[in-house]
Amino acid sequence: MKRGQLRDHFVGAGVKRLSGVDAEPEKSNQHEVNTTREMRDRFLGEIHEQKYPVRYIWLGGDREGFSVEGTATHYDARKNIDGRSEWRLYYPSNAVTEAMRGGDTLFLAKHNDGQLYFIVAPEGSTSEHQLLWLFGVAPKGKSFVSREFPEDGPELDFAARYILDEIGIETEDPDADGLGEIIDPLPLAFPSTANFSRLARDTLPDVRAEDDPDVALLMWLIREEALFRRLEKRIVSKRLEEGFDNEEGVDVDGFIDYSLSVHNRRKSRMGHSLENHLEAVFRAFGIAYDRGKITENNHRPDFLFPSVTAYHAAPATGATNLAMLGAKSSCKERWRQVLAEADKIPRKHLLTLEPGISEPQTDQMEASNLQLVVPRDILGSYTEVQRVWLWNLRDFIGHLKRGR
């Protein structure tokens, strides 16, 4: 199943470590960065005073990011000096450029539609690691390091699509048109997440968790995402056709509320879908579990093995027949929540779909007696050092089968 390539979205990208002069207004009033010959040859060009539309994106470590639409001007600062040129990209002040500091990493990528993506992430952050892996380029020295993306590059896997979605790039499923016969007959309303997850699995009858749980989990998730986006497009299009009007004219608040509801539904649905498909995996392997049951202090681990009854009957320490698994599509700082969810189980397990979590963060997990579980096809976005101790889903199932 062809999943597209990075070149379908970006022509090329450059990366550099920002200096104080590049990033901080109190150290420089210029608000600009120098571009290189390679960047101009590969994707920026050399049109003096060319104004680009720009999406400025701040990915502030483990906090929520934000973006600002704006422009930037590419110009030759020495145009009138014979035999010399010095190309710079001038950017106006905005919320993103005000947030960045010297030492942060700037990714400057050109989209196929001509828009520039000006993405800033703190050094050593998960966001930085993810983008370095996605674009396949790393900073060196004071200047940009850049590359052009080939037309015969590797297909976008789950990890790459995840990262693109984080910066607002929606990847079209190549089989989306073929899903119409499944989605189009449905009423214009969202089914429950459990029913929608079941529908996704039913449309992939040849995918069996018993054959490969890691592959099955991701294929089910990808299929459900494609089905959801198809149905969402129908429902949202119908709502937009109805318009947002009230007695006072255009209902701006109503439109904003609806837009937020669409965004929040997307975010919450993925977490529920992940749990639904994990549940199907455990059933396929005949593994006893309880989902979302109360332990201490009203905590509700996503999965307890073999049951909540066994958990409460176990002694406070020393029980060897128990296990727990948290399931989070993305970790951020929320991974720490798992540590308090089952006091009788000293070694916690957490499955995530997030690619390329930074080494400092996974080091903290390991030091906190938390075993991170990552589907096998996402493991390639992690470093070799991290992969030494990371588990995939089959590893975790083996752990359960061996009696914890």
Side-chain angles (χ1 to χ4, degrees), residues 199-263:
L199 175 64
R201 294 193 297 272
D202 289 345
T203 64
L204 294 171
D206 295 332
V207 176
R208 290 166 32 92
E210 302 94 314
D211 297 334
D212 193 323
D214 292 270
V215 168
L217 178 64
L218 292 188
M219 289 190 71
W220 288 339
L221 285 164
I222 290 170
R223 174 53 59 91
E224 183 172 351
E225 179 73 9
L227 290 171
F228 174 81
R229 291 294 174 94
R230 176 93 184 197
L231 180 59
E232 181 188 57
K233 186 175 182 179
R234 289 183 61 220
I235 293 173
V236 173
S237 294
K238 178 65 175 176
R239 182 66 185 89
L240 293 177
E241 287 176 4
E242 295 172 354
F244 292 85
D245 298 317
N246 57 24
E247 296 177 354
E248 300 176 356
V250 178
D251 184 7
V252 175
D253 291 337
F255 173 78
I256 293 173
D257 289 343
Y258 184 73
S259 177
L260 288 174
S261 72
V262 171
H263 178 71

Side-chain angles (χ1 to χ4, degrees), residues 328-400:
K328 295 186 183 298
S329 57
S330 63
C331 282
K332 308 298 181 186
E333 279 298 312
R334 295 181 301 128
W335 65 268
R336 299 180 187 279
Q337 298 170 3
V338 175
L339 302 178
E341 289 181 347
D343 288 346
K344 294 181 180 181
I345 304 173
R347 181 127 179 113
K348 309 297 195 295
H349 293 81
L350 172 63
L351 184 142
T352 187
L353 304 175
E354 185 165 4
I357 296 173
S358 67
E359 284 193 18
Q361 192 169 88
T362 56
D363 287 346
Q364 291 177 25
M365 294 176 185
E366 190 174 21
S368 300
N369 209 17
L370 176 69
Q371 176 63 60
L372 193 62
V373 181
V374 181
R376 186 178 61 250
D377 286 354
I378 302 177
L379 284 174
S381 63
Y382 288 78
T383 67
E384 291 185 11
V385 172
Q386 291 171 308
R387 293 199 295 270
V388 168
W389 75 276
L390 290 175
W391 285 9
N392 60 35
L393 182 53
R394 186 179 287 279
D395 292 331
F396 178 69
I397 291 171
H399 170 70
L400 296 177

